[in-house]
Amino acid sequence: MTTPALPAPVVSIAHHSGFGHTAVLAEAVRAAATAAGATVHLIKVDEITEAQWEQLDASDAIVFGSPTYMGTASGAFHTFAEATAKRWATRAWQDKLAAGFTNSASKSGDKLHTLQFFTVLAAQHGMSWVSLNLLPGWNSSTGSENDLNRLGFFLGAGAQSPNDQGAEGVHKEDIATAEHLGRRIAEQARIFAAGRAALAA
């Protein structure tokens, strides 16, 4: 007797992009998660529809993405975060997985604060945070900016794009790091869903 195949995990990427850089990262997360077998919804939080809110509610995992402006997520993302209070009140996102990514023009740019903002948002919803799980690159004399996780973040994927370039300026290794995050969240969502199915059997 064979075990029936589980449905593909559902991952939603709730993101805002001011100038296109963060959208490049969102697309990288989407492509990699899809390639890893997930069903993925790409949702622009500043244009979110009621149907897309329902997609978030039905997801196994939600990945948050925003540029870092003035040391935190963008105003548009903050507006979205406040609007999730309706979901918070009903515990609609409780026990889902969460992850995040961000971009700024500076190599630091206080991106860590944006990732921490995402983790607190996830915690308030009772979600479980999925870290990047990549060792830092570019931290030795033999390293370079062409290393994966070249900016050395652990909470999520961090990217740096020059402020005088458009979306084409997103660094290739930052895109690859976002792809890693997409694969990881899809894999963790599959494991999570399999565990739930085993407990329910």
Side-chain angles (χ1 to χ4, degrees):
M1 181 175 169
T2 59
T3 303
L6 292 170
V10 179
V11 176
S12 287
I13 304 166
H15 75 288
H16 172 249
S17 186
F19 298 95
H21 307 94
T22 311
V24 170
L25 300 176
E27 175 56 31
V29 174
R30 184 206 64 77
T34 300
T39 298
V40 184
H41 304 298
L42 202 58
I43 297 170
K44 297 179 180 180
V45 300
D46 54 333
E47 301 175 3
I48 192 166
T49 65
E50 188 55 42
Q52 289 173 323
W53 279 112
E54 292 173 4
Q55 287 178 334
L56 291 171
D57 295 343
S59 296
D60 297 299
I62 301 174
V63 184
F64 302 124
S66 169
T68 294
Y69 294 155
M70 302 305 294
T72 189
S74 66
F77 193 92
H78 274 268
T79 297
F80 161 76
E82 290 180 18
T84 69
K86 291 180 180 179
R87 270 67 191 171
W88 172 85
T90 62
R91 312 314 290 156
W93 295 357
Q94 181 174 292
D95 296 330
K96 295 183 187 300
L97 298 181
F101 59 92
T102 187
N103 175 84
S104 71
S106 301
K107 287 185 172 57
S108 170
D110 292 319
K111 284 187 277 283
L112 178 60
H113 185 260
T114 299
L115 293 173
Q116 289 172 329
F117 171 74
F118 292 158
T119 63
V120 172
L121 176 63
Q124 292 223 343
H125 282 283
M127 304 169 81
S128 297
W129 188 260
V130 177
S131 66
L132 185 60
N133 192 30
L134 267 182
L135 292 175
W138 205 11
N139 66 351
S140 71
S141 61
T142 58
S144 81
E145 66 172 311
N146 295 311
D147 292 341
L148 203 61
N149 193 21
R150 69 191 183 106
L151 300 179
F153 284 92
F154 289 90
L155 269 189
Q160 179 267 330
S161 306
N163 62 14
D164 58 352
Q165 291 184 328
E168 74 283 355
V170 181
H171 198 284
K172 64 182 180 65
E173 290 305 327
D174 294 342
I175 294 172
T177 301
E179 290 170 344
H180 171 88
L181 181 65
R183 286 188 295 272
R184 177 160 165 75
I185 196 69
E187 290 162 1
Q188 293 301 304
R190 179 179 294 106
I191 291 168
F192 209 67
R196 280 187 172 184
L199 287 172

